[in-house]
DNA sequence: ATAATTGCAAAAGCTTTGCATGGCC
DNA sequence: GGCCATGCAAAGCTTTTGCAATTAT
């Protein structure tokens, strides 16, 4: 079922379906909080000890190129990954490595309107992302 | 003159004034486009060949801790630095490594109002930054 | 069949660390 | 003088690379 979805994603991008690619995609989906490459290789190795680290990196690169996953920028210097989806923003905890998604259509509209009015010279906007930095006041999700 | 300012910055933070720290600050200010640590060490070494790479990293760390400079997150996996200043946002070129600052008080007000209304649960916002991704259509500054 | 992907292991960054030396306050 | 910062070089980590062997289409 879930496997079937992954296979479909790969086929849609005309990528070959390999056990390694499925394993990496499962890892990113299975791990929450926007895992680092290392977390991903760790997860993959637990479930498939025979998959090489270098392969995981190559698969990640392929996924990013094909927009199946996206890189997330952090305050720190480690790259994180997430399965690619709608436009969304991120809440960064300033005291831990927690990252959560923030999606809100009103916000997107607001930004779009703002930049339509503002009209930056010499720059064509393709994407806008907010980094909302602060502190989580409990362990629950932020979602309303 | 400029040197004097740097010294003052350091003293304000109760940091010892050393030639190495001055050199690193000069490098960040001299290099445009939010230099990487490597660019900074390169610049420093040209002007002061005797300053060690490790020292530059230590100085950068000290500066970041003391909020004299800030790290800038990029799409890629390299960390960039900038002299710390007012709240501002960044324009990222999707086709090169160019980064420019974007400041606009209207935008800040807009965001503040939005989040005042929205009231995220379980999260206290301390800072908001926009990553505006797109293409520069010429080589000039974006500033109006 | 054949072109792409993988595994392996080595190498390549970039960054950090430890400690003795030297320099700022 | 005392403590902090520096230089140096080694080690650490994550990520990349090359190539032969394997696999998907």
């Amino acid at each position: 079922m879930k496997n079937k979805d992954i296979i479909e994603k790969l086929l849609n991008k005309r990528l070959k379906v390999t056990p390694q690619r499925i394993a990496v995609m499962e890892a990113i989906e299975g791990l929450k909080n926007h895992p680092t490459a290392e977390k991903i290789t760790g997860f993959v190795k637990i479930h498939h000890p025979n998959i090489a680290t270098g392969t995981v990196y190559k698969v990640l690169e392929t996924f990013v190129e094909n927009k199946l996953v996206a890189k997330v920028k952090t305050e720190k210097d480690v790259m994180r990954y997430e399965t690619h989806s709608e436009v969304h923003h991120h809440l960064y905890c300033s005291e831990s490595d927690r990252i959560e998604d923030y999606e809100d259509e009103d916000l997107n509209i607001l930004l779009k309107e703002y930049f339509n009015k503002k009209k930056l010279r010499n720059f064509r906007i393709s994407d806008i992302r907010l980094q909302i930095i602060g502190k989580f006041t409990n362990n629950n999700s932020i979602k309303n």
Side-chain angles (χ1 to χ4, degrees), chain A:
Chain A
M1 177 58 182
K2 192 164 231 175
N3 244 345
K4 208 179 128 210
D5 292 345
I6 294 174
I7 292 172
E8 199 174 333
K9 278 187 187 180
L10 292 172
L11 291 175
N12 282 342
K13 299 287 182 177
R14 250 133 264 194
L15 292 174
K16 286 190 181 173
V17 176
T18 68
Q20 292 83 352
R21 285 174 174 172
I22 291 172
V24 171
M25 191 60 89
E26 281 175 345
I28 301 176
E29 288 180 352
L31 293 162
K32 299 299 177 193
N33 200 26
H34 307 72
T36 61
E38 255 208 305
K39 283 240 174 64
I40 296 168
T41 57
F43 187 99
V44 166
K45 276 180 185 301
I46 290 169
H47 299 270
H48 311 270
N50 41 318
I51 295 183
T53 304
T55 301
V56 174
Y57 279 95
K58 283 172 190 162
V59 168
L60 282 172
E61 197 190 325
T62 306
F63 284 178
V64 171
E65 281 170 1
N66 287 277
K67 297 198 199 297
L68 287 172
V69 312
K71 291 186 173 186
V72 177
K73 301 155 280 290
T74 71
E75 293 281 346
K76 324 274 157 42
D77 51 0
V78 208
M79 199 48 61
R80 307 253 211 127
Y81 297 85
E82 69 185 355
T83 54
H84 200 265
S85 63
E86 302 309 302
V87 176
H88 66 267
H89 310 286
H90 289 119
L91 301 166
Y92 292 86
C93 181
S94 52
E95 305 195 329
S96 75
D97 60 355
R98 187 170 167 195
I99 302 175
E100 290 226 1
D101 291 343
Y102 180 77
E103 297 177 57
D104 186 78
E105 197 48 38
D106 294 345
L107 176 58
N108 295 336
I109 291 168
L110 197 70
L111 290 171
K112 187 174 284 185
E113 283 174 358
Y114 167 82
F115 281 106
N116 276 345
K117 262 191 227 145
K118 215 61 174 188
K119 282 201 187 313
L120 298 191
R121 289 187 194 171
N122 312 327
F123 195 81
R124 180 171 324 196
I125 297 174
S126 61
D127 197 8
I128 297 175
R129 300 201 206 147
L130 253 76
Q131 302 180 306
I132 308 156
I133 298 130
K135 269 169 56 179
F136 290 95
T137 53
N138 73 15
N139 291 320
N140 301 323
S141 169
I142 244 55
K143 302 245 168 70
N144 298 324

